[in-house]
Amino acid sequence: AQKVTQAQTEISVVEKEDVTLDCVYETRDTTYYLFWYKQPPSGELVFLIRRNSFDEQNEISGRYSWNFQKSTSSFNFTITASQVVDSAVYFCALSWLNNAGNMLTFGGGTRLMVKP
Amino acid sequence: KAGVTQTPRYLIKTRGQQVTLSCSPISGHRSVSWYQQTPGQGLQFLFEYFSETQRNKGNFPGRFSGRQFSNSRSEMNVSTLELGDSALYLCASSLVGGAAGAVYEQYFGPGTRLTVT
């Protein structure tokens, strides 16, 4: 069974703090894909990153960075020097090559509140 | 490129009625997926369409159905509405992997917020 767990339901930080959002996944497939999405108060899910199971390189994009570790089945997301505009719900999601389609399994989401 | 569009954005229906939601994917995207988001169940996959065929279906009752047209636009229908169907319905579109296979990221529309009274 495919499963994504985001243990942190809510995190509150003060602006300029670094924050890490945890994501742990379960899958029996050897080829799978992991994603992060941001859902601001407007409601639309915004794509942040896609990573396949064969690429364990960490990625940095501006203040955002992702740490993928297959050994611990984790795909954590770090925001450096957080800003109020980062306040949103963040979802980690999993898909796999043999699901005959494009189904995403989402974690429960982490609500991040960045206070000025 | 224009993003994924969904109509209507808001809808209020009465229990027992039916509803049709519409989604226009990003140009060139042939896969369209639908998700239901509720505070209690989170984001749940409903179904996915590609080339006018349903490729995948989530664990929802038969009251939930969908279709895709030749221009990749998609509709979903919920019949005999129940109070528990109140939710944000999100449509997403993506490219489709080639012969070597790949799963591409999905781009989401703004959603249709359905309230059933």
Side-chain angles (χ1 to χ4, degrees):
Chain A
Q2 325 287 346
K3 187 179 176 182
V4 177
T5 302
Q6 295 180 254
Q8 307 148 307
T9 53
E10 202 166 287
I11 299 176
S12 181
V13 298
V14 176
E15 210 171 17
K16 295 183 185 174
E17 282 186 27
D18 297 348
V19 58
T20 295
L21 310 182
D22 297 334
C23 172
V24 173
Y25 61 92
E26 293 175 33
T27 178
R28 288 191 209 127
D29 289 73
T30 54
T31 303
Y32 54 89
Y33 295 78
L34 296 161
F35 304 82
W36 275 95
Y37 284 87
K38 173 182 179 180
Q39 188 175 39
S42 61
E44 187 167 335
L45 280 164
V46 177
F47 166 72
L48 295 177
I49 189 171
R50 175 186 77 142
R51 179 52 52 91
N52 76 49
S53 52
F54 298 110
D55 182 3
E56 284 192 77
Q57 271 196 325
N58 291 332
E59 181 153 342
I60 299 174
S61 175
R63 296 183 298 105
Y64 295 171
S65 63
W66 290 269
N67 183 296
F68 176 29
Q69 292 199 328
K70 284 177 79 168
S71 60
T72 56
S73 297
S74 65
F75 187 42
N76 297 337
F77 172 31
T78 297
I79 302 174
T80 303
S82 60
Q83 300 176 1
V84 173
V85 293
D86 295 327
S87 296
V89 181
Y90 291 86
F91 291 95
C92 180
L94 168 71
S95 189
W96 56 103
L97 196 59
N98 295 322
N99 75 0
N102 272 354
M103 182 171 83
L104 282 174
T105 295
F106 283 90
T110 297
R111 181 178 300 278
L112 174 65
M113 291 176 292
V114 182
K115 298 176 183 175
Chain B
K1 258 188 191 179
V4 177
T5 58
Q6 292 186 245
T7 56
R9 294 291 312 279
Y10 301 91
L11 209 47
I12 300 175
K13 289 286 188 178
T14 302
R15 205 168 40 176
Q17 288 185 315
Q18 77 161 19
V19 66
T20 299
L21 312 182
S22 183
C23 171
S24 292
I26 291 171
S27 177
H29 286 189
R30 294 167 61 199
S31 167
V32 175
S33 300
W34 290 89
Y35 295 83
Q36 181 197 65
Q37 186 176 27
T38 60
Q41 300 299 317
L43 275 159
Q44 292 186 289
F45 171 79
L46 279 157
F47 28 64
E48 185 229 357
Y49 287 89
F50 168 65
S51 286
E52 302 177 63
T53 301
Q54 187 181 85
R55 291 205 296 183
N56 238 329
K57 190 176 189 326
N59 190 22
F60 279 83
R63 299 185 297 105
F64 291 81
S65 62
R67 59 177 176 167
Q68 187 181 36
F69 302 95
S70 57
N71 61 359
S72 294
R73 194 176 68 84
S74 177
E75 287 181 349
M76 68 162 280
N77 184 278
V78 188
S79 62
T80 320
L81 284 166
E82 299 177 0
L83 296 178
D85 297 333
S86 294
L88 180 65
Y89 290 88
L90 292 161
C91 169
S93 74
S94 73
L95 295 170
V96 177
V103 174
Y104 292 100
E105 60 273 16
Q106 295 181 28
Y107 292 90
F108 286 78
T112 295
R113 186 163 296 283
L114 171 65
T115 302
V116 182
T117 62

